Amino acid sequence: MPDLTTAAFPPAFLWGAATSAYQIEGAVREGGRTPSIWDTFSHTPGRTAGGEHGDIAVDHYHRYRDDVALMADLGLTAYRFSVSWPRVQPTGRGPAVQVGLDFYRRLVDELLAHGIKPALTLYHWDLPQELEDAGGWPERDTAYRFAEYAQIVGEALGDRVEQWTTLNEPWCSAFLGYGSGVHAPGRTDAGASLRAAHHLNLAHGLATSALRASMPAGNSVAVSLNSAVVRPASLSPADMAAVRKIDDLANGVFHGPMLHGTYPRSLLDATRSITDWSYVRDGDLTVIHQPLDALGLNYYTPALVEATEAAPVGPRADGHGLSAFSPWPGADDVAFLQTPGERTEMGWTIDPTGLYDLIMRYAREAPGLPLYVTENGAAYDDKPDPEGNVHDPERIAYLHGHLSAVRRAITDGADVRGYYLWSLMDNFEWAYGYEKRFGAVYVDFATLARTPKSSARWYGEAARTGTLPSAEGA
């Protein structure tokens, strides 16, 4: 077996970084943009740390040229960004606002001019508020509105963007947004969360068809799933059943219909007391089960579960925020345990073996389908030193471990074609406000000045050489 610390990645491997629109753009009232559910949620007292919001974020809307130049200076070969739905189609209905599309045209042109491959995500959680007022993702009509939006963006940018992703982490949209309420829109209805999951699946299928009808045939259409790596506390039948229940809710609810054209029977049975699934209409599964060109995998930490006789009391150790309401409908008999090992500032255990296991699972689950790691990274309490430099050896070690896991998966036959570090720069971290820093680039939130951390230089060297520098480097 080759030494994974020195073995080269494939020559065409993409070395990217990822962001999302609401977390970085700011300019929430410019160019005809109207509120998204995250504008409303973050301006609702008590919803985010310190009442913080993305009104300015890191002002990428006005600083994108400098940010792209910084990516090029670091040596990145790809950049994954999301389009703000309410910037392009403010009410979620009707014609596009061209000034909104023009921003993304300029961004894409700037990336291409610097030799950076754009990878576009249509939805990273910023549903137009007017669509939420009409019922949001639990309503079927939202899926059709999303398909219209996809066609608008596909027609505008499909001639110069080859890599497209429909949805980012639909699990979070459905179960954190409508189940536990820790994400926008902040609703706490188990039945609504399952309806939302189905309509997100339907939206993915409809949007995939819309994109393929509006773009050059060679473009790639994918989805990014934050599929969970679920491990049992023991090999007892009860704990293995707990794993299956959480695996269905975290993974099967999306990859079942997307990859196989069906929902797991065990999922339907476990949630029958919550919903009858009657909103799954004839033909829906065929629409959802569109052939994909690639699959994005987002990974941060594994989950450890055990069976319990009563609903767990107190905070869940599932890494998904504090709420009295569970994002796991029908799983009150499952407890989440804290996995052992070092943790990031998010409290998430650092375990690269989970990324390897996830990649190899989908190499088996969808043989022949190219895979991308579309998010992976860590939050640390980064601070500048007296000279203004930001050293983050913990993040370098994290990246070295996880990229080594990717390299091992490639060696073992997985078709992994790229890696997108989360995130390019510190930004608005959803309900955590500006407390958690995931960026490879430090942002002074008072001045918005950008300073590449030592991990950014380390990652840039990996991108330029196709090999992993020493974890003690940079």
Side-chain angles (χ1 to χ4, degrees), residues 35-309:
S36 75
I37 55 175
W38 269 98
D39 293 278
T40 303
F41 185 84
S42 62
H43 281 275
T44 302
R47 291 297 200 177
T48 65
E52 292 170 334
H53 48 71
D55 285 10
I56 298 174
V58 297
D59 197 32
H60 175 73
Y61 184 84
H62 298 110
R63 300 167 186 250
Y64 72 92
R65 289 189 178 88
D66 291 340
D67 290 338
V68 172
L70 180 55
M71 294 179 219
D73 180 64
L74 292 174
L76 301 188
T77 59
Y79 175 54
R80 178 175 175 251
F81 64 95
S82 76
V83 171
S84 168
W85 189 350
R87 191 178 299 286
V88 166
Q89 196 186 27
T91 66
R93 304 173 188 274
V97 172
Q98 289 303 315
V99 68
L101 281 172
D102 285 344
F103 168 71
Y104 297 104
R105 291 186 176 106
R106 294 192 301 271
L107 172 61
V108 168
D109 289 346
E110 197 74 14
L111 290 165
L112 294 173
H114 284 80
I116 298 171
K117 191 179 188 72
L120 187 154
T121 298
L122 283 170
Y123 187 73
H124 200 130
W125 308 350
D126 48 358
L127 184 72
Q129 182 60 45
E130 287 198 27
L131 291 185
E132 172 59 25
D133 293 342
W137 285 113
E139 293 300 318
R140 186 179 182 88
D141 184 64
T142 306
Y144 292 94
R145 303 289 73 74
F146 182 70
E148 292 176 359
Y149 158 66
Q151 181 173 345
I152 287 170
V153 183
E155 290 174 349
L157 297 172
D159 62 333
R160 63 206 114 158
V161 177
E162 296 177 356
Q163 290 195 331
W164 292 71
T165 295
T166 55
L167 307 172
N168 180 77
E169 298 186 355
W171 185 88
C172 294
S173 297
F175 296 105
L176 300 184
Y178 295 92
S180 68
V182 300
H183 276 194
R187 289 160 62 180
T188 54
D189 180 334
S193 71
L194 290 164
R195 291 197 307 275
H198 176 65
H199 294 139
L200 283 156
N201 283 330
L202 183 62
H204 159 76
L206 292 167
T208 298
S209 296
L211 288 174
R212 290 197 170 123
S214 60
M215 300 192 308
N219 287 359
S220 169
V221 180
V223 66
S224 287
L225 303 178
N226 56 323
S227 296
V229 177
V230 190
R231 294 169 174 167
S234 77
L235 297 180
S236 71
D239 284 355
M240 296 305 292
V243 166
R244 177 58 186 266
K245 183 170 285 190
I246 298 304
D247 187 78
D248 282 345
L249 287 166
N251 305 329
V253 67
F254 296 109
H255 78 221
M258 289 181 183
L259 299 181
H260 308 301
T262 186
Y263 284 104
R265 171 53 57 185
S266 49
L267 169 69
L268 303 182
D269 291 342
T271 56
R272 200 166 299 282
S273 65
I274 299 170
T275 179
D276 61 5
W277 292 88
S278 60
Y279 41 83
V280 181
R281 298 184 185 175
D282 289 347
D284 281 4
L285 292 171
T286 300
V287 171
I288 297 166
H289 187 210
Q290 299 284 325
L292 290 170
D293 300 304
L295 178 64
L297 300 175
N298 296 359
Y299 171 81
Y300 293 94
T301 191
L304 183 65
V305 302
E306 68 176 2
T308 182
E309 294 182 359

Side-chain angles (χ1 to χ4, degrees), residues 352-372:
T353 67
L355 179 55
Y356 172 83
D357 290 348
L358 183 66
I359 292 170
M360 298 311 294
R361 172 182 184 167
Y362 281 96
R364 296 186 299 269
E365 190 94 26
L369 187 64
L371 304 175
Y372 291 84

